[in-house]
Amino acid sequence: MNDQEQPVLDIQDLCISYYTRAGEIPAVVDFSLTVKPGETIGIVGESGCGKSTVAMAIMQFMGSNGGIKSGSIKFKGRDMTQMSDEELRKLRGAEISMIYQEPFAALNPSLLLKEQLMEVPLTHEDISRDEAYQRARDLLADVKLPDPDRIMNSYPHQLSGGQQQRVVIAMGLLSNPALLLLDEPTTALDVTVEAGIVKLIADISKKYGTSQIYISHNLGLILETCDRVFVMYSGEVVEEGTIDSLFTWPRHPYTHGLFGCIPLPTADKNAAPLKPIRGQLPLPHDRPSGCYFGPRCDHFQAGRCDATKVDPEHVTGSAHDHHVRCLRWQEIDHAKEVPGGESKEAMKLGDPVLEVDNMKKYYEVIDNSLKAIISGNRVKYVKANEDLNFNAREGETVAIVGESGCGKSTFAKVLMGLEGGTDGEIKHDGNEISGTLVNDRSAKQISSLQMVFQNPSDTLNPSQTIGNQIGRVIRKFGVASDKDKVFEMVMKLLDTVKLPRDFYYRRPRQLSGGQKQRIGIARAFAGNPSMVIADEPVSALDVSVAAAVTELLMDIQREHKTTLLFISHDLSVVRYLSDRIVVMYLGHIMERGTTEEIFEPPYHPYTEALLSAVPIADPEVTKREILLEGNLPSVMNPPKGCPFCTRCPRRIGEICDNDMPPDQKVSETHAIKCHIPIEELRKVEPVIHVPAPEERAGKPEVHGAPR
C-alpha cells in the first residue's frame, strides 16, 4: 500500500452533536481518521463511546436531531458534509456500504431475497435484471451459501441467522464498494460461523480491494482482522496505532483496562481474576473537565489530569502513527502492575447437586405431505437431546458449549421444568425432576433452580420497580414475608450485586444493559438457589461490563456455594470460569471433561474446531486455523452415524457415516464420542499455543505487563 495514495476516507476534527429538548448533547468530539485503499481499521470501546455515531455520520444517517457541528468527512477527496441528498443517495450502497449488527433488521421480511439483492445494482448501475440476478447469485456463491438459486427465491425468515448475515454481506459487496462499514457484524453468531464470516469478508475485500472499518468491542476479532485500531472513550479517541504497536505497547490506562477485562488463555479465575474497569462511562452532557477517563483511572492526579483539555501525543519509540491522549503516559510503568485483580481462594467442591443419566428429549412432528400420508410415516421425531450423561457438584461451574441448535437451551428448559423429558433421569438434590413440569413442582424445588437469561430486558417487567420485582421472588418462595424483612433482604441483594440502594425505586428503563443483568442475577439468587443456570449471560455486553458480571457471578457463587451451569458458545469465557466442560453437537455430548482436559489434546474434532474459532486478543498467542464447511444438519434429518460426520475434517470413512461412535474414556473425567482411536487423537498438535515465560524472555511487554 502506497502512503502517497489518496485516502478513501479522510475525517478531520469531526464534532457530532444531537439536539434535544434538554439542549445540545455532544456525542463525538475532535474525531480524526484516515483510511487508505485496501486498509482495515478497527474502532473499539464501550457502548455509548460514539463508535456507531461515527459510522452513521460517514453514511450521513444522523436522523432528524443529529448533526455535524464542525469538521469534515472527505470520501475520495470530496467533502460529504457538502453533498446534496441526491449525491449521497448515489454514493450509499454503490461506493460506501454498511453491514449492521442485526441482519434481520436490514432485510425486508415481505420481499424475496432476490428482489432485495438485485435492487442494489439496478439502482446504482445501468444494468439489466438478468445481469443483476446473475451477479447477486454469483456473490451468494462467493459468501459460501449453498444452493444460491434457492436462497434467491427465499424470504429472510427461511434462513438461519448465519445465512442471513451472509446475505447482508453479499448485499453490501454487490456494487464493489470502495469502503465497507461493519457495525458489530458477528456479535450474535456462533464462534464457528463468526470465524467463517470474518475470513469470508477478508477474502472478498482482498479480491475487490475494499477498505473496511470494523466497529466492535471484541478485541480478539480486531486483532485478527485489522491493520490499525482506534480506541474510543466518551466520544473521543484516547489511543490509536497499528495492531502490533497498540496490542504490544498500549499506553492509555483505559486501553489497559479493556485488556484487563478479557479472559485471555493466561487468565486464572483464582490466581489472577479479571479486573473490571470501575465506574461507568460518563453521559455526554456530564463529562468531567480535563481527561474524560479521570474518574475511573487508577493513575488520576487531581489538579493536573482535570486541569485542562488533553490533546493526543505521539508515542516515542513506537510506530510512527501511535498516539495517546494521556498526560501521564510516560510516567506510568504498567509492567510493574500485577495483571488481573486480587487472588481468591479456589472453591472446595461438595457432593453432586445435579445428576443427568441418559436423558432424552424428543419433539413429535406430524408430516402432512402426500408422500408421508401414503407411506403411513406421518409421525417424525426431532431428537433435541440424546443420551445426555454428566453431573455437577456443589460449588462447581459446569459449562455447556456448542453452536446454536445443538440442544443446550433445550436441556435448560427440561431442567427448569418448562419442558418434560422424554426418557432418562435428571436428579436435582436427589429428586427426579425431568418428568415434572414447573407447575407441578414445589416452591422449594422452583426456588432452588433459578436462571439468568441472555437478554435481561425481556425478563424484567417495565411497569414494576426493581425493588418490587426482587421482593416478589423473596415472598413467592417463602424466604420471608414480613414487609420490613423483605425490604432489607432486597437492599442486601443490591449490595451483593454492587448497585446503589436507590435502584430499589427505579424501573428497568432507567438502567443500562449491564445494570439490568445485575438485577437479573440478584433476582436469581433471591430464592437461595442451590443451582443457577446462566444462559449466555455476558455475550451481548461490553467487555468491561461482561468482566464485572462474570466476577460478580463467581463472588456470589463462592459466598453461597452455588452450583453454576454456564451455557455459552464463547470458549474464552468458558475456559476462564468453568471447572468442567460439556461439548454438545446436534443433541449429543461429543466430549466432556475438566477444563484442562478439554483445552489440551486429545480433542474431539468438533472441539478442535471450536477452539480454533475463538478470537484471542494476544499477539503472542498462535492458533491453528480450522474452518468448518457447511451448516449444522437438520434436526429432522440428522446423519445416520456420527452427528458430526458431514462437517468433520478428520472423517475416516463409511464407519463415520453409518455407525454412532462409542464414548471412549480418556480418563475417569474425560470422554470423547468418536471413531478415531484415542491414540491417534493424542498425536494432534495443540490448537492454541501460549508461549512459556522463557519464550517471551527478551521480547517486548505484551499488554504492558510481563507474562
Side-chain angles (χ1 to χ4, degrees), residues 30 309-313 324-327:
D30 295 335
K309 185 179 184 299
V310 182
D311 293 320
E313 293 184 32
V324 61
R325 195 185 292 264
C326 177
L327 296 174

Side-chain angles (χ1 to χ4, degrees), residues 355-362 382-391 400 406-407 410-411 414 421-426 434 582-592 640-641 643 659-664 671-673:
E355 297 171 272
V356 184
D357 185 18
N358 291 322
M359 180 263 174
K360 298 181 175 69
K361 174 59 184 175
Y362 296 171
V382 174
K383 298 180 179 181
N385 290 150
E386 184 73 33
D387 290 329
L388 303 190
N389 290 282
F390 68 95
N391 60 53
I400 303 180
C406 74
T410 297
F411 171 73
V414 175
T422 303
D423 199 2
E425 288 187 336
I426 298 178
S434 68
V582 174
V583 181
M584 289 188 66
Y585 185 85
L586 214 63
H588 294 258
I589 293 178
M590 308 310 289
E591 184 170 3
R592 63 179 185 274
K640 179 182 175 183
D659 299 333
M660 181 64 67
D663 278 333
Q664 301 187 72
I672 296 175
K673 186 191 286 286

